[in-house]
Amino acid sequence: MREKHTKEEILQIAKDQNVRYIRLQFTDLFGVIKNVEIPVDQLPKALDNKIMFDGSSIEGFVRIEESDMYLIPDLSTWLIFPWDSGQGRVARLICDIHLPDGQPFPGDPRGVLKRVLAEAKAMGFDSFNVGPEPEFFLFKMDENGRPTQEVNDEGGYFDWAPLDLGENCRREIVLTLEAMGFEIEASHHEVAPGQHEIDFKYADAVEAADNIATFRLVVKTIARQYGLHATFMPKPVFGINGSGMHCHLSLFRNGQNAFYDERDELGLSTTCRHFLAGILAHARGFTAICNPLVNSYKRLVPGYEAPSYVAWSAKNRSPLVRIPAARGMSTRIEVRSPDPSGNPYLTIAVMLAAGLDGIRNQLSLPPAVNRNIYVMTEREKQEAGIWSLPENLGQALEELSRDEVLVNALGEHVFTHFVEAKRIEWNLYRTQVSEWEREQYLNTY
């Protein structure tokens, strides 16, 4: 749980630590960090919620005639970056976005997550814990500082130096994160060459989403200091594993894990089973949010350890959801489809909305699938009620548009602007003629 400073404490810390600039941060609709940087003498004004910015310049926000918005800092997110700008230290505050009339801006992704959390609270749940496992690749850069398509090592799962040449960079990332208050649980080379994973401790949903956004910023910053380019692109290299962001989810009521029941054969409560049923019921709908790039669907294919089928299991890793072995306060479900390119606030919001719908409507959980789905025939999958995730961004957007629960959770503003932008992206991709097509067809036809 983060420490929430008072305004007076923040002002004193800024003075004592020689903070010269403050970044007032938020994300656009697609999870890209934006910030308004102010000198430290403007910090009192910011803490009084009086800093405005032009929302029309932010992707997916508003039109130019309705552009003025206020940045409302969350004091619990006060953090001083451990690197020096050369002109004094830099701190950050993550902000919520409000309209001039004081109301929350409906297009603020952080606000969307808070709205869904309020629904969970109204249903009697204290908190929604999320433990993310973001993966990323490190690529070499050329003499002009541009990323190449050459990964920085030939390491594999849990390899170490000399095969894992990113080890020192990854260690520096971990040390930087720890200096910023992260509790790191694991750090290792992943399956593919150049691929890495750093897992940090679970947190309540908003803090977890804040942490993911901060994590991506730190990884990219430290990688560049090592002459490397870090990317959270889901599938940057053909023929090897892509990068996912498995999310461990659990709801709490009265301080107790609402997903645990010692009387159940698997230790799962009725609440957990309904929540999981909701995840499965809405998985095809939330894929567009959790896997928002054209490239995301190059990862969600059989053969590379990423899920492509809507099913669950406590025993194998081929379905969409698995149940980790820990029980008691650690009982949770692991949703394996999200990738790290998505907006973390929206990703968590739609998964929570899906699970809450399962609880609210007491959806029945289908039987677990303990076989390797990748070797099942199409008929066997149909008989078991196993559906595939959308095969591309176009299909995913159609599924999202048909899912009233998720559309309502996102709100009209976010849903409309997100789908509009992503349909443009899909059509631009769909109408391109690729090198693969020229190689396959140009001579033959």
Side-chain angles (χ1 to χ4, degrees):
M1 196 70 179
R2 290 184 293 211
E3 180 182 359
K4 185 168 183 178
H5 297 286
T6 65
K7 295 178 184 179
E8 293 73 21
E9 287 171 338
I10 289 175
L11 291 170
Q12 189 61 49
I13 293 169
K15 181 179 180 181
D16 295 343
Q17 296 294 321
N18 190 33
V19 172
R20 297 293 301 277
Y21 297 95
I22 294 89
R23 293 179 179 175
L24 302 177
Q25 292 185 347
F26 56 99
T27 69
D28 69 11
L29 202 54
F30 310 113
V32 177
I33 289 182
K34 304 294 183 180
N35 72 89
V36 174
E37 188 167 86
I38 59 172
V40 70
D41 60 8
Q42 292 294 303
L43 181 56
K45 182 178 178 181
L47 296 176
D48 286 335
N49 304 330
K50 293 180 179 179
I51 299 291
M52 299 186 74
F53 76 104
D54 178 8
S56 67
S57 61
I58 305 300
E59 185 74 44
F61 270 32
V62 292
R63 297 167 297 183
I64 195 166
E65 64 267 24
E66 49 191 25
S67 59
D68 289 340
M69 295 185 182
Y70 281 96
L71 293 164
I72 311 298
D74 181 341
L75 303 192
S76 71
T77 66
W78 168 259
L79 182 152
I80 301 175
F81 291 115
W83 52 79
D84 197 310
S85 68
Q87 299 176 322
R89 304 189 72 183
V90 179
R92 76 97 202 267
L93 284 162
I94 296 176
C95 301
D96 296 310
I97 311 300
H98 282 213
L99 298 170
D101 64 3
Q103 294 299 309
F105 170 50
D108 177 14
R110 202 168 188 257
V112 170
L113 177 53
K114 287 186 172 184
R115 290 201 305 270
V116 182
L117 284 168
E119 292 181 24
K121 189 169 184 179
M123 293 171 65
F125 298 106
D126 307 328
S127 63
F128 179 51
N129 284 353
V130 179
E133 297 178 346
E135 298 168 343
F136 59 94
F137 277 84
L138 293 175
F139 285 86
K140 295 179 181 178
M141 293 201 292
D142 64 20
E143 61 275 8
N144 297 315
R146 293 190 296 259
T148 68
Q149 296 184 33
E150 184 180 357
V151 294
N152 77 305
D153 65 63
E154 295 299 325
Y157 202 48
F158 288 119
D159 272 345
W160 63 317
L163 287 176
D164 177 8
L165 300 180
E167 186 175 305
N168 289 337
C169 176
R170 192 174 66 240
R171 183 183 297 115
E172 184 66 27
I173 291 169
V174 169
L175 292 172
T176 302
L177 290 168
E178 288 178 333
M180 296 169 70
F182 280 70
E183 185 175 334
I184 304 300
E185 295 190 332
S187 165
H188 59 85
H189 198 287
E190 257 296 338
V191 174
Q195 188 183 33
H196 304 268
E197 179 178 319
I198 298 173
D199 302 333
F200 40 93
K201 189 176 181 180
Y202 67 86
D204 194 21
V206 174
E207 183 177 353
D210 290 342
N211 288 343
I212 294 167
T214 301
F215 173 83
R216 296 193 302 206
L217 174 66
V218 171
V219 168
K220 284 182 171 290
T221 300
I222 300 302
R224 184 162 286 274
Q225 292 175 5
Y226 277 77
L228 299 168
H229 174 73
T231 181
F232 293 95
M233 180 179 176
K235 186 82 167 185
V237 182
F238 169 73
I240 61 177
N241 286 27
S243 290
M245 188 180 72
H246 301 174
C247 291
H248 295 251
L249 313 177
S250 56
L251 278 168
F252 279 70
R253 179 188 283 122
N254 299 323
Q256 298 297 311
N257 191 331
F259 280 5
Y260 177 59
D261 185 347
E262 62 181 6
R263 300 165 297 180
D264 180 76
E265 178 185 3
L266 292 176
L268 305 180
S269 68
T270 301
T271 296
C272 180
R273 289 176 176 274
H274 289 324
F275 186 97
L276 177 49
I279 290 287
L280 299 179
H282 296 284
R284 288 176 61 84
F286 66 56
T287 299
I289 299 295
C290 298
N291 308 92
L293 306 184
V294 164
N295 180 254
S296 296
Y297 299 84
K298 307 295 177 71
R299 167 182 168 259
L300 297 178
V301 296
Y304 297 97
E305 299 188 8
S308 51
Y309 301 106
V310 181
W312 73 281
S313 175
K315 296 183 178 180
N316 81 72
R317 294 171 183 261
S318 60
L320 175 79
V321 181
R322 81 174 187 100
I323 311 298
R327 291 296 180 267
M329 292 293 280
S330 298
T331 305
R332 61 195 187 275
I333 70 170
E334 178 188 6
V335 183
R336 304 176 62 253
S337 61
D339 69 52
S341 70
N343 185 309
Y345 302 99
L346 299 183
T347 292
I348 294 172
V350 292
M351 288 191 293
L352 176 56
L356 292 179
D357 183 63
I359 295 171
R360 193 180 291 114
N361 291 297
Q362 299 184 1
L363 299 184
S364 297
L365 181 64
V369 178
N370 295 322
R371 294 179 56 190
N372 184 347
I373 301 176
Y374 299 137
V375 301
M376 294 172 69
T377 66
E378 287 302 317
R379 182 173 181 176
E380 287 173 328
K381 285 183 283 194
Q382 288 177 7
E383 290 174 349
I386 299 172
W387 301 98
S388 296
L389 290 173
E391 294 182 357
N392 56 56
L393 181 59
Q395 287 185 9
L397 292 170
E398 292 304 316
E399 293 287 345
L400 173 61
S401 299
R402 286 194 287 264
D403 195 317
E404 292 184 9
V405 169
L406 300 184
V407 171
N408 289 335
L410 293 170
E412 181 181 357
H413 183 105
V414 168
F415 168 74
T416 300
H417 285 77
F418 180 88
V419 169
E420 181 180 273
K422 289 298 172 179
R423 280 187 174 144
I424 292 171
E425 180 180 336
W426 170 243
N427 284 325
L428 284 172
Y429 171 77
R430 186 176 58 83
T431 56
Q432 290 290 320
V433 178
S434 68
E435 189 60 35
W436 183 91
E437 292 170 275
R438 282 188 284 268
E439 289 177 358
Q440 292 291 317
Y441 307 132
L442 192 61
N443 289 334
T444 304
Y445 297 99

